[in-house]
Amino acid sequence: MSIFSSFERTLGGLLEGAFGSVFRSEVRPIEIAHKLAREMDEHRTMSVSRVYAPNEYLVWLSTEDRARYAGVEDDVTDELCAYLLEHARRNELTLTSRPLVTFNTDERLSLGEFGIQARLVQLDDLQTPASPYQEEEPGAAQSGHTMLHSEPEPTEGSRREAGGRDRAHVVVRDKRLTVGPSGFVVGRSRGCDLVLDDPGVSRRHAEIRLTEHGWTIRDLGSTNGVFLNRSAIDGAAALRTGDRIELGETEMVFEAS
């Protein structure tokens, strides 16, 4: 068994073992761990001879979710930091310091929703911003946003060099969410990147992904279909900035970087 697998087992034990009875929130440590690793992959920075990864991760939780970690928060964040450190070693990513994971509260989040910001910073620059849910400013540190997820690590074939053209956004319910090149699944299942509480949306409804031909949206066999600019799509369709996507009763706007 690889060292990386043992870290997953350790983190899983944190959930199922001595602390298992504590985590009755919708946001569980293993879900956070998987998304943190994905954020590390998607926010890589290339230099001449190295690939740098973010070393600071801010996890934003709802007030109720944050309260459920009282008493064990330090233990959980320590395990998450160790998980990220091993993930970086396994994928030959360079860190300027040991990963730092901190929990923060955003009262606008509902139970089961959480956001992540990933940044590459020096030790003396570590600081906590006001909130992850805001418009990105030119020159600002890149950050990842999500609303509940637990999914497999992206494969090597799906990873692309991190850059502006490899990133897009969707605006839904007044929130602007980052879409990375490895795919962004939308549906009612808690395993999706964006979870929609909409009875007209299937468990895994649609996926937005960057292909060699550009950004696309694909219907994942949903019951009610995917509508792009008021027209139903058949299979996959190309996306452009300003396109309006309808899933059930939910509408979102696509923005390419």
Side-chain angles (χ1 to χ4, degrees), residues 25-235:
S25 163
E26 295 294 344
V27 178
R28 298 178 180 273
I30 196 65
E31 294 175 320
I32 298 174
H34 286 164
K35 189 59 181 180
L36 285 170
R38 181 171 174 177
E39 291 294 307
M40 175 176 280
D41 290 334
E42 293 190 352
H43 290 81
R44 296 176 294 172
T45 300
M46 302 289 293
S47 71
V48 175
S49 60
R50 296 182 179 182
V51 181
Y52 290 92
N55 57 330
E56 181 193 46
Y57 299 83
L58 297 119
V59 179
W60 297 85
L61 301 167
S62 68
T63 302
E64 188 172 356
D65 276 316
R66 180 79 184 280
R68 292 175 186 265
Y69 284 86
V72 295
E73 185 171 305
D74 289 344
D75 296 286
V76 174
T77 54
D78 284 348
E79 290 287 348
L80 293 172
C81 290
Y83 184 91
L84 285 175
L85 183 61
E86 182 57 31
H87 183 79
R89 288 174 177 168
R90 182 172 180 266
N91 291 277
E92 299 182 345
L93 301 175
T94 300
L95 297 170
T96 59
S97 67
R98 182 181 175 83
L100 174 65
V101 178
T102 57
F103 285 174
N104 302 274
T105 303
D106 190 320
E107 296 179 353
R108 291 170 292 179
L109 293 174
S110 301
L111 178 68
E113 293 181 341
F114 67 96
I116 294 176
Q117 285 183 300
R119 304 198 309 161
L120 173 59
V121 297
Q122 298 297 325
L123 285 176
D124 56 356
D125 292 332
L126 297 178
Q127 56 182 324
T128 302
S131 170
Y133 296 107
Q134 58 188 3
E135 294 295 321
E136 296 180 359
E137 300 179 359
Q142 292 183 337
S143 59
H145 304 284
T146 184
M147 287 184 65
L148 193 66
H149 43 269
S150 177
E151 56 190 279
E153 296 291 329
T155 63
E156 288 298 325
S158 69
R159 290 173 182 154
R160 299 170 183 266
E161 178 180 344
R165 66 183 182 279
D166 290 346
R167 216 162 303 281
H169 301 86
V170 291
V171 180
V172 56
R173 297 173 183 171
D174 297 323
K175 291 180 180 178
R176 189 168 184 259
L177 310 176
T178 300
V179 181
S182 58
F184 187 82
V185 178
V186 183
R188 286 190 297 108
S189 170
R190 297 195 180 281
C192 295
D193 294 282
L194 173 58
V195 179
L196 296 176
D197 184 15
D198 184 333
V201 172
S202 298
R203 289 180 59 79
R204 287 174 56 86
H205 198 111
E207 180 185 36
I208 298 174
R209 180 177 289 274
L210 179 62
T211 70
E212 60 182 359
H213 301 297
W215 289 98
T216 63
I217 184 168
R218 180 165 59 95
D219 190 336
L220 299 178
S222 66
T223 300
N224 296 318
V226 176
F227 289 80
L228 181 62
N229 298 322
R230 305 297 183 185
S231 298
I233 68 171
D234 182 13

